[in-house]
Amino acid sequence: MEIRIPVPAEEIINKLNEHGYEAYVVGGCVRDMLLGREPGDWDITTSALPGQVKEVFRRTVDTGIQHGTVTVMMGKEGYEVTTYRIDGEYSDGRHPNSVEFTPDLVEDLKRRDFTINAMAYNSHTGFVDKFGGVEDLEKGIIRCVGEPMDRFTEDALRILRAIRFSAQLGFSIEERTYEAIRTIAPNMVHVSKERIQVELTKLLLSSHPDYILRVYETGISPYVSEKFHGAYAGESGNWAVPSIPAGIPAVKHMRWAAFLRNCSASQAADILKDLKLDNDTIYRVRILVEWQGKKVGFQDGMEDGMRDVIKDGREPSRASIRRAMSQMEPELFDDLLTLKMCLSEAASNDGELRWLRQVRDLTEEIRRNGDCISLKTLAVSGHDIMGAGVKPGREVGSTLARLLDMVLEEPQRNTKEYLLAHLEQKKGQAGI
């Protein structure tokens, strides 16, 4: 295996070595190199104290100097360089009360969460793996460094990180580590909703999003939030968590919508608000959850089931599609179709899948034709409506909505002449 460290990181290690200090890349980047994946971050650990690191390099930033971390600037890029350390007590279940610097690399690796994250490397020494990280990578196992109860008591977020890593890598969780998760799950009360949400989102965006079931099976879910737990709570050992089809794109709002699709739109939004997700994601998930159960393309009043409609050879209603498109942004409507198609495919519902493909084709036709599907492209404005004698206020909005509905039904009506003439006709019929 060819190991390549970015040139700036290699320069930092070499320069520290030249000044008599040890230095290695450490943690996740070493794990990813061994897995043949491109690391996202390159963290460096060293025997040099923070002050000594600052003496070696001209441009540094004190990003976490109380915990031994100095960011060394190499051109426009920053690399975190952290002194070997031993963590003190974790009285809050999340952060050490103090840190003690140590000249011993193994002591630093010993405090890390999982064996696959407790390896170091430099081109002179090679790999330093004192806790079986390479073997666990080969076996596909998530295992704590040392005693699992100690690691999870130190930092409760590690409980959720174990499940997230298993989902990202497709690994199993070693038995003692898994049992410790079940035992220590109540300690999740010490973790902020924001940190929990980040881990859950990474889990859902992984190649095994169905592993979110483990959050319920291990007893973590009640400590995520009451609403999150209640969404799929069932009898002991029987969780009603829906599977997430592999075809759902790894996009935040798409995966959350797939996971929460059996909830009501308001329930889904409340769960995400509890987890402090951003408003844009909450909005998108709410729309997708609300619409994923609707029969897009069905004519108003169509009572037949999907099977009967397709059997009769009917095609989706363009007017109904335009109405659905008018309720959301174009990209979100496309996401809705993708979500529905993936769910239909996973359920082997060939009839519904054919219907949705027709809807997708007609959507493209509607866009090519330039059909009006929003007030932005309606041929008349609020100013035009008031100029035609409609009083300012709510009546202007309701009149525009009525005219848009007419245009959604028959796009050729979208001319200023036709719409204003229609208003004059309505005024005449009302004796105005």
Side-chain angles (χ1 to χ4, degrees), residues 402 406 420-432:
R402 189 172 69 251
M406 286 174 48
L420 292 180
H422 173 78
L423 281 181
E424 286 298 322
Q425 182 183 5
K426 287 292 183 184
K427 284 165 61 178
Q429 290 173 354
I432 298 175

Side-chain angles (χ1 to χ4, degrees), residues 226-279:
E226 184 179 339
K227 291 173 182 174
F228 177 91
H229 175 69
Y232 295 121
E235 296 299 322
S236 180
N238 268 321
W239 302 103
V241 179
S243 62
I244 300 173
I248 303 289
V251 177
K252 183 161 63 169
H253 65 272
M254 295 284 282
R255 290 285 176 89
W256 272 109
F259 170 63
L260 296 172
R261 66 183 184 273
N262 292 346
C263 302
S264 68
S266 59
Q267 185 184 13
D270 286 344
I271 289 169
L272 299 187
K273 285 176 186 174
D274 269 359
L275 293 175
K276 312 296 184 186
L277 261 89
D278 59 280
N279 290 333

